[in-house]
Amino acid sequence: MALLAHLMLSLILLLALAWGLGALWFQAPGGLAARLLWMALWVMLSSLAVASIWLPWAGMRMARWAWVVAGIVMLLWWVSLRPSNQRLWADDVARSLRGQVDGQVVTLHNIRNFDWRSDTDYIVRWQDARYDLETLVSVDMALSYWMGPAIAHTLVSFGFADGRHLVFSVEIRKERDEVFSAAGGFFKQFERSIVAAEERDILYVRAGPRGEQVFLYPIRMPQEAMRKLFLAYVRSANRLAQTPRFYNTLTANCTTLVYDMVRPIVPGLPMDIRLILSGYLPQYLYRHHGLDSRQPLVVLRQQADITTRAAQAGQAKDFSRWIRQRG
């Protein structure tokens, strides 16, 4: 039992060591040299604390208490880190989405509608628009694969009777000098953003300039549930515009946050590892009748692949019609 207790305590300290190194690497102030110094000190204290578990010397107890004090200081520093809406943001997330609801009519401000020539060359365009939820006729889930079959970015597109399609996307809110880091997403590196964009913007830039593989799945959902989901996005966007929050790679990402919005609308949807490994989300939706189960999933996947069509459509004004053509 004593050996098991020693092993468990050592494991806890090693996990704390790993977490502390990540937190210091991504968040410690003072530049690279300062970060490395703080990390070295944390490694030294953690190593001495682990050694104190196995070496019952009187002097080693001081090392254990030094680690406890350092850990408390680190936790207090970590809690003090706060998200902000006031940073020098990258152009594609520079504005916060806001919405006003008047009955069934929703007015959205700061909808993104960029013209993309490449991932770094684009014409900035933000616009406002009104949407009548009485004319909401479809919901599609887009998955954009950028890191193997298990990881995809999840987007939701709402279609209206007049042919317009609006896409909502939960994304990191990058600063101008930042690039996406899955590891950084665990350590408060990024704020959270909800982007609303035209399909010709947000689906094209992923399939075309960024070279990602994009799939578009029609979702089976009653119209009332569609409206509730649209309004849930608007409420979430308004809350973020008022009170910023951090993005988290595991608990607050592009898929888990959609699940949080859908769960009150479609009761009974279970948690599943595929909400984290979002590349396998179609299997989850197929099993729970979110996709057309009259056809095999492999056929639905073939039909959903819009990568080539989206890349070829470019900035065409009939982009949404083009990507939904088959054959």
Side-chain angles (χ1 to χ4, degrees):
M1 291 298 294
L3 177 61
L4 181 60
H6 281 46
L7 288 172
M8 290 297 296
L9 285 172
S10 298
L11 178 59
I12 291 171
L13 287 173
L14 290 174
L15 291 174
L17 169 62
W19 173 83
L21 289 175
L24 291 169
W25 175 254
F26 286 104
Q27 293 294 345
L32 178 60
R35 288 204 307 269
L36 293 176
L37 175 60
W38 288 117
M39 292 169 70
L41 288 172
W42 182 241
V43 169
M44 181 185 70
L45 288 173
S46 298
S47 300
L48 289 173
V50 172
S52 73
I53 296 173
W54 298 94
L55 302 174
W57 303 339
M60 296 301 289
R61 295 177 183 175
M62 293 299 296
R64 196 179 307 174
W65 283 109
W67 181 89
V68 169
V69 172
I72 292 173
V73 171
M74 184 174 291
L75 285 174
L76 291 174
W77 161 72
W78 182 253
V79 171
S80 73
L81 298 177
R82 292 284 187 256
S84 173
N85 279 333
Q86 307 301 320
R87 305 192 194 277
L88 188 59
W89 303 113
D91 289 339
D92 57 337
V93 289
R95 298 193 185 185
S96 296
L97 176 68
R98 296 176 182 269
Q100 286 106 31
V101 180
D102 183 11
Q104 291 297 315
V105 176
V106 180
T107 302
L108 294 181
H109 305 281
N110 298 325
I111 299 168
R112 203 180 77 198
N113 189 16
F114 284 22
D115 287 334
W116 297 90
R117 291 183 285 264
S118 74
D119 199 22
T120 57
D121 182 14
Y122 44 80
I123 297 174
V124 174
R125 184 187 300 113
W126 298 92
Q127 63 191 33
D128 299 342
R130 290 162 58 90
Y131 297 90
D132 185 350
L133 298 186
E134 293 286 355
T135 67
L136 181 57
V137 294
S138 68
V139 170
D140 298 304
M141 179 190 70
L143 291 176
S144 187
Y145 291 79
W146 54 276
M147 199 176 82
I151 303 298
H153 183 71
T154 305
L155 311 92
V156 177
S157 180
F158 293 85
F160 293 83
D162 60 5
R164 291 185 298 167
H165 289 80
L166 182 73
V167 181
F168 287 100
S169 175
V170 178
E171 303 191 359
I172 65 168
R173 197 172 191 190
K174 305 186 303 292
E175 296 178 58
R176 288 197 174 178
D177 59 346
E178 289 182 325
V179 295
F180 177 75
S181 165
F186 287 103
F187 296 103
K188 297 185 178 181
Q189 186 179 11
F190 308 109
E191 276 82 2
R192 191 189 312 168
S193 175
I194 292 182
V195 174
E198 298 283 341
E199 285 188 337
R200 63 183 290 275
D201 169 331
I202 202 165
L203 298 186
Y204 168 69
V205 71
R206 291 181 173 273
R210 296 179 186 172
E212 299 175 9
Q213 192 174 17
V214 180
F215 293 78
L216 191 66
Y217 292 90
I219 300 299
R220 299 177 60 189
M221 181 178 285
Q223 188 184 49
E224 184 59 27
M226 296 180 195
R227 296 172 184 169
K228 290 181 178 179
L229 182 56
F230 190 100
L231 292 172
Y233 269 109
V234 175
R235 287 193 298 270
S236 296
N238 284 340
R239 284 196 295 266
L240 282 180
Q242 184 69 30
T243 306
R245 295 183 180 274
F246 284 117
Y247 180 94
N248 186 282
T249 301
L250 183 63
T251 61
N253 59 47
C254 63
T255 306
T256 57
L257 292 172
V258 176
Y259 172 76
D260 290 341
M261 288 186 279
V262 171
R263 186 173 52 180
I265 300 170
V266 186
L269 284 178
M271 285 294 295
D272 193 291
I273 189 61
R274 287 168 290 194
L275 297 170
I276 306 299
L277 303 177
S278 51
Y280 303 121
L281 196 56
Q283 290 93 318
Y284 174 86
L285 293 172
Y286 191 81
R287 178 179 179 182
H288 296 288
H289 312 293
L291 301 179
D292 185 359
S293 57
R294 294 172 298 179
Q295 300 187 72
L297 182 57
V298 65
V299 174
L300 295 180
R301 180 176 173 83
Q302 292 170 352
Q303 295 173 349
D305 189 350
I306 64 167
T307 307
T308 301
R309 296 195 297 275
Q312 291 176 345
Q315 303 297 308
K317 294 195 178 298
D318 60 346
F319 179 91
S320 295
R321 181 187 62 82
W322 184 288
I323 63 174
R324 288 170 172 79
Q325 291 179 344
R326 296 179 184 173

